[in-house]
Amino acid sequence: MNRKVTKAIFPVAGLGTRFLPATKSVPKEIMTLVDKPLIQYAVDEARAAGIKEFIFVTSRGKGALEDYFDHAPQLENELRKKGKDALLEILKNTNMDSGEVAYMRQHKALGLGHAVWCARRLIGNEPFAVILPDDVIAAERPCLGQMVDAYAETGGNMVAAMEVRPDQTSSYGILDIDQDMGAVASVKGMVEKPAQEDAPSNLAVIGRYILNPSVLRTLNKLKSGAGGEIQLTDAIAAEIGEDRAGVYGYRFQGQRFDCGSKSGFLQATVAFGLARAELRDELHEYLESMLAYRNAAE
Ligand code: G1P
């Protein structure tokens, strides 16, 4: 099997109910960390990893995403006239060329596995990446790029992995480790959102995957699993076993933010704000004074 990964699926059909009322009219993937929508972080990471085709699995009410990735000639003209080259350059990264991007509707919210399956005809018979834009990862070398390198060595299927607190296993896909080789661990089982007492480890799947096309064939016949949803975790788990391609967890370098939760989103906002040279000093000073004020009040 060829190990070049050039296609990525971005499941963006979720309702984002945790962020209501904001998400009543704005897709949650358009919500911004500092000045960049969550989806742009995901796309930038994919491009840096060599992805050439971007497949968004959307749902009703996600039109703003298509507009976001469209060219904006009027806006660009205005900026050009005013000589705002830096802004023009920023806008360039948001443009997708025709044929490079595809939108596929998931008509019913049947789960992550189903969302990925909706893109099956656009994938064909080659390995592909899946990126969940809720998981934002700050890293020197972007996470998917790290995985593409590791995958070139291992083949099989690869999921990003991170140790979580034992009481958090019920929020994640959890890996049952076979051989632990440090950054890479081969996996002998995967469970979606197990209770703490049932979890085979505390090594959790984070939203980056490099998958074999046979996962899509498994999804063809998969029944619903945890939470009554068609789970991607279950389809990946079917890749484990003799004569199968195998599954590897990859402990990436970097800091992951759960931007599907309010507190994760706020933490990411602070972290990305502090990472920006033009904002750092003022934000830092503000945070310090805020904390001093709170400490004094307690
Ligand atoms: C999904 C996956 C889960 C994974 C998680 C990572 O769950 O089903 O296996 O650990 O993403 O963020 P969700 O958070 O969409 O419920």
Side-chain angles (χ1 to χ4, degrees):
M1 169 73 68
N2 142 36
R3 291 192 188 164
K4 210 163 157 44
V5 188
T6 60
K7 296 182 180 180
I9 300 175
F10 301 80
V12 290
L15 290 175
T17 46
R18 276 196 256 178
F19 284 93
L20 280 171
T23 46
K24 186 179 171 202
S25 65
V26 178
K28 72 170 170 178
E29 299 78 15
I30 296 280
M31 297 200 340
T32 58
L33 294 175
V34 187
D35 50 13
K36 220 161 76 167
L38 289 182
I39 193 67
Q40 185 71 49
Y41 287 92
V43 163
D44 288 349
E45 182 177 331
R47 265 197 214 286
I51 298 298
K52 305 277 184 253
E53 287 180 52
F54 303 81
I55 303 162
F56 297 93
V57 180
T58 66
S59 60
R60 184 167 310 148
K62 299 280 181 164
L65 275 171
E66 290 191 40
D67 290 342
Y68 176 81
F69 286 116
D70 208 346
H71 288 227
Q74 226 177 346
L75 177 59
E76 284 168 24
N77 271 342
E78 284 302 314
L79 294 174
R80 207 165 291 123
K81 263 196 260 166
K82 292 184 177 141
K84 305 222 160 173
D85 295 343
L87 284 178
L88 271 170
E89 199 49 41
I90 290 172
L91 271 193
K92 241 197 219 160
N93 289 330
T94 69
N95 290 349
M96 290 276 185
D97 287 330
S98 304
E100 193 184 40
V101 59
Y103 299 93
M104 183 60 74
R105 278 259 174 139
Q106 184 189 26
H107 296 102
K108 281 188 187 170
L110 296 177
L112 179 60
H114 180 261
V116 168
W117 177 80
C118 288
R120 67 201 177 281
R121 296 223 162 80
L122 298 172
I123 295 297
N125 198 30
E126 53 187 285
F128 60 98
V130 177
I131 297 192
L132 309 187
D134 273 359
D135 282 330
V136 176
I137 300 170
E140 210 162 294
R141 169 140 172 73
C143 179
L144 189 66
Q146 298 175 34
M147 289 171 69
V148 161
D149 292 348
Y151 171 77
E153 303 284 318
T154 62
N157 296 268
M158 183 167 276
V159 299
M162 180 183 108
E163 258 82 25
V164 296
R165 285 203 325 260
D167 64 332
Q168 293 176 325
T169 57
S170 63
S171 301
Y172 296 93
I174 298 292
L175 301 177
D176 191 356
I177 298 167
D178 183 16
Q179 265 188 316
D180 206 334
M181 296 158 273
V184 175
S186 67
V187 165
K188 61 174 187 251
M190 287 174 82
V191 204
E192 181 67 11
K193 305 199 168 90
Q196 180 172 353
E197 55 278 17
D198 303 326
S201 76
N202 65 335
L203 190 59
V205 177
I206 300 302
R208 304 288 183 275
Y209 308 77
I210 298 177
L211 301 176
N212 223 299
S214 53
V215 171
L216 298 171
R217 292 194 284 278
T218 303
L219 283 168
N220 275 332
K221 37 189 194 293
L222 200 67
K223 300 260 174 344
S224 42
E229 297 191 338
I230 296 176
Q231 295 293 352
L232 184 59
T233 298
D234 296 342
I236 302 171
E239 295 283 297
I240 300 167
E242 261 178 68
D243 307 329
R244 301 289 169 93
V247 177
Y248 299 89
Y250 178 77
R251 292 187 182 91
F252 55 91
Q253 301 275 325
Q255 195 182 1
R256 174 256 186 179
F257 297 93
D258 174 11
C259 290
S261 81
K262 284 176 203 169
S263 84
F265 192 90
L266 287 171
Q267 287 165 29
T269 299
V270 173
F272 281 79
L274 288 173
R276 293 276 280 265
E278 76 277 22
L279 300 174
R280 182 177 302 140
D281 292 347
E282 203 178 326
L283 183 58
H284 191 258
E285 206 177 298
Y286 172 72
L287 289 171
E288 252 179 359
S289 67
M290 188 78 178
L291 289 176
Y293 177 79
R294 273 193 52 143
N295 287 341
E298 268 166 19

